[in-house]
Amino acid sequence: MAKIDEIYLDNLCTILEKGVEKKDRTGTGTVSYPFVTIRHDMADGFPLLTLRRMPFKGALVELEGFLKGITSKAWYQEKGCHFWDEWASPDAVVQWEKENHSIKDDAERKAVMKSLNELGPVYGSQWNYFSGGLTDKACQLQEVRRLLKTDPTSRRMVVTAWNPDFNGNMALPPCHLLWQVNVTGNKLNLVYYQRSCDYILGHNLTGYGMLLTLLAKEYGYQPGVLGAVFMDCHVYRNHLNGVKLLLHRDIDRPAPRIRFKKWDGFDKWSAEDVVVENYNPGDKIEFPVSV
């Protein structure tokens, strides 16, 4: 079994065995456990889970959108990423009500959100155009890149998507809200912090693994360690049947690798430029989304 799957399964068992039932925003209910971590050496393979078929393309398209600061739901959908289908900016919902009528219930609100395009100033907008604090406009991503080029020993290569001035305007306040890059020797490492982790999803590991790989490739480093820190780590109650299937799978699958079909540099990278190889996952399991 791929090492990332072993760590993932161990954490999943801990959540189920030691977690407690907890109410949540969606009303679905969860089994929740605090402070879970993952440390993955990129030399052990690309962090794409093999326990079930994962949305590799969707994770890379989402990363591409974040790097470009895209906040249009349609842009992601047209490229095959459907992570954001159910959500929309609260401002867009208010505008819809002004142009139509007051939303009468939760079912209609969900339908309206699904129909709208604008997501608000989500992740990539903050990475590229953070509009709070001391400056009106700050590109955190470009600052990390500048430091990787001019001062790679810096401990200030940090990007945050958590912006109290604008969290209320986002389709969802950021779950994975901060990431940091570190260079040690000839290796580039990346860790991200997630305040709220729907643990069964798992695709953020793929997205940040790709980000780590892109930065390492651009600046001449070997991919090092990918770290993840999850605070409220939970499994939704309507995922438990699928989780039981996952836990009882008898699989022993090698870690996948990725290959670049072309490389024209970080600025021109596209999700279409990368293919995954040696990926033979277990069958797909459907896990309903809680909105």
Side-chain angles (χ1 to χ4, degrees), residues 138-152:
C139 185
Q140 302 179 86
L141 180 59
Q142 289 301 326
E143 177 63 6
V144 166
R145 295 181 62 189
R146 184 188 71 81
L147 289 170
L148 279 172
K149 187 175 181 179
T150 64
D151 186 14

Side-chain angles (χ1 to χ4, degrees), residues 248-264:
H248 286 89
R249 285 187 166 173
D250 182 19
I251 58 173
D252 185 12
R253 304 173 190 274
R257 302 283 174 176
I258 58 169
R259 176 175 59 84
F260 285 83
K261 293 189 291 185
K262 67 174 184 176
W263 175 253
D264 295 323

